[in-house]
Structures are given as structure tokens and as C-alpha cells.
Amino acid sequence: MAIGPVQLIVLGFNHPDFHGEVIAELQRLRDTDTVRVIDSIAVYKDANGELETEHLSNLTEQEAIELGSKIGALIGLGVEGEEGMEAGAVAGAEEAAAEGINVFGDADEWDVLEDIPNDSAAALILLEHHWAVPLRDAIARAGGFRISDGFISPLDLVAIGLMSAEEAKELHAMETAAV
């Protein structure tokens, strides 16, 4: 089975409730086959910048066994402290070396853990976009390729008439409340 486009989303929380509404919405998306959560972890960062992690998932037990901790390998974070961090980094580097790829390249390097503010938490969610598989394949058959992608700020949508300034300010404030 072809895997769909994969995206790592990092969501910050001042006072997280990871077992409530967010998990329910991820399950709803899975049930409709829109996305699949490949891996998800909660990272708690104390006031001194020390990290604790907790696994979050809506995978079946078999899927979890098959996929393992992909976020840890991707960003160099393991669930077993310093040893786990090293193991995650090594696993990610070995996979990249075996495939002959430079995962981020110098210009696009992203220190996910550094971006999490002290005394807060983040949910790191690795999503597979099932809905995008036919579109991606059609683009490839037409000779197309991805150049870039990103979420657009609600504030930028005002200028092109997709939402009012008031709606955009509310959404922007909600999206960036802790920043």
C-alpha cells in the first residue's frame, strides 16, 4: 500500500488535556479515512527546559508495533531519556543514510524541541494524509512535484477576501494564544 503525504504538526499548550477533544477529533478523522496518525507524542517542558514525553495514539496495537516511534527517530528524541534520544537520532540517521537522503538539508533544519517554550507542553503528531494520495499520484503522473507547502495565517486571508478582519483576528488569536 502506498503511503500518503506525511506531515509533522507541533501544537503548543499551556495547560494540556491531551485525552479530551483533540484525541476525539483525531479519531473522527481516522474513522472517515481522511488521515491516519502514524505517531503522536506529548512533550512536557518544565521551566528549566527539561523534557518529559508521553505517547499519544489512535493506532491499533498491530499498527503501533509495525510503525514504532517514528517521531522519535525523525527528530532525534527517544522515550528513554538521553539513551533514547541518541537511539532515536541514530535510527533516523541510519534510515536517511540507507536511503541516501538528507532529511532536512541545512536551510530547512527544524529544531522542534527547541521551539517548545519552557513551562508548556506540545503535541507532536505525525499525520498521513489519506485524502491526498490520489491527488499526489495524479500530480506525479503529470510530471509535477512539490516545491513548498505551509499553513496560511488567517490574517493573510483577509487580503484576498476569504474572511473578515474580525474573523481573522479571532482565529489568529486562538491559533497563537501562547506565543
Side-chain angles (χ1 to χ4, degrees), residues 120-175:
S120 72
L124 283 65
I125 305 169
L126 195 61
L127 292 177
E128 175 190 8
H129 292 274
H130 283 190
W131 65 268
V133 172
L135 176 61
R136 177 206 54 203
D137 293 351
I139 290 167
R141 286 189 298 273
F145 53 92
R146 182 179 64 87
I147 293 175
S148 184
D149 57 66
F151 287 106
I152 306 299
S153 166
L155 299 175
D156 295 326
L157 298 177
V158 174
I160 59 174
L162 284 179
M163 66 176 39
S164 72
E166 186 176 312
E167 291 171 320
K169 285 178 186 176
E170 287 176 19
L171 279 174
H172 179 73
M174 183 176 64
E175 290 179 355

Side-chain angles (χ1 to χ4, degrees), residues 1 3 36 38 59-70:
M1 176 175 80
I3 189 164
R36 175 176 66 134
I38 295 173
L59 295 177
T60 65
E61 183 178 347
Q62 183 59 38
E63 289 171 326
I65 291 168
E66 174 187 331
L67 293 169
S69 180
K70 297 301 183 192

